[in-house]
Amino acid sequence: MSSGRIYEFNPQVYPTRLWVAKYSDVSFDEIDKDFYALDERNERIDFKVASEEPDANIYATTYPVSNKESGWRGCLVLLNRKDMPLSTVAHESSHCTDWLFEQLGVESGTTFDNGEARAYYLEWVFNRIYEVKQGKVK
């Protein structure tokens, strides 16, 4: 990783990674150096070309990415503002969960009776984002 604080998390049971960073701790150039963006066909494209620098008025942004060094694909969540509410952590966790399950081709999990796998992954993502937000990364 770059010199900035981009935290990488491995969910162990899913073939993906989650990266979380406070935008105040990492530059857009560092992100571009470490990641490709993923387009709608899941193909790697230049991050800076595909993405705009985060807007300071937006609490957080999630990007589907591929790490240039390891090749792992996953989501990068940038926490853009210190005053980000907890609801935004849930919102970004949902984006990450939707992306992963779309990549896995899993269309189930959207009902009460068959949503356990999605719920566990969403909870895991939520906890990782919250840890970074609170400065309590393990």
Side-chain angles (χ1 to χ4, degrees):
M1 284 286 142
S2 291
S3 59
R5 312 275 290 148
I6 302 174
Y7 298 96
E8 181 177 359
F9 300 98
N10 178 352
Q12 304 295 318
V13 298
Y14 293 108
T16 191
R17 293 294 186 268
L18 171 68
W19 294 274
V20 183
K22 293 179 181 177
Y23 191 61
S24 60
D25 294 345
V26 63
S27 72
F28 200 67
D29 288 334
E30 288 176 293
I31 295 165
D32 182 58
K33 181 179 152 209
D34 287 344
F35 295 98
Y36 293 108
L38 296 175
D39 68 11
E40 62 278 347
R41 295 180 313 274
N42 203 33
E43 293 178 4
R44 295 177 178 127
I45 55 177
D46 182 71
F47 190 87
K48 272 193 172 176
V49 171
S51 308
E52 294 182 16
E53 194 155 347
D55 181 339
N57 295 314
I58 297 172
Y59 289 118
T61 309
T62 296
Y63 303 94
V65 296
S66 174
N67 182 272
K68 289 182 178 179
E69 184 178 325
S70 68
W72 277 104
R73 292 168 190 249
C75 287
L76 167 65
V77 180
L78 288 181
L79 311 179
N80 302 330
R81 292 179 46 184
K82 290 180 181 181
D83 62 340
M84 179 180 74
L86 207 51
S87 59
T88 300
V89 177
H91 178 102
E92 300 308 322
S93 299
S94 179
H95 285 312
C96 294
T97 302
D98 292 343
W99 178 85
L100 174 62
F101 279 75
E102 181 181 330
Q103 299 311 303
L104 296 174
V106 177
E107 294 184 24
S108 64
T110 57
T111 67
F112 182 80
D113 291 330
N114 72 359
E116 204 66 13
R118 289 180 70 89
Y120 275 116
Y121 185 72
L122 190 140
E123 176 185 11
W124 179 84
V125 172
F126 181 97
N127 287 332
R128 302 300 75 82
I129 295 170
Y130 186 70
E131 287 170 1
V132 174
K133 176 187 181 320
Q134 295 299 104
K136 297 179 180 181
V137 180
K138 295 178 184 176

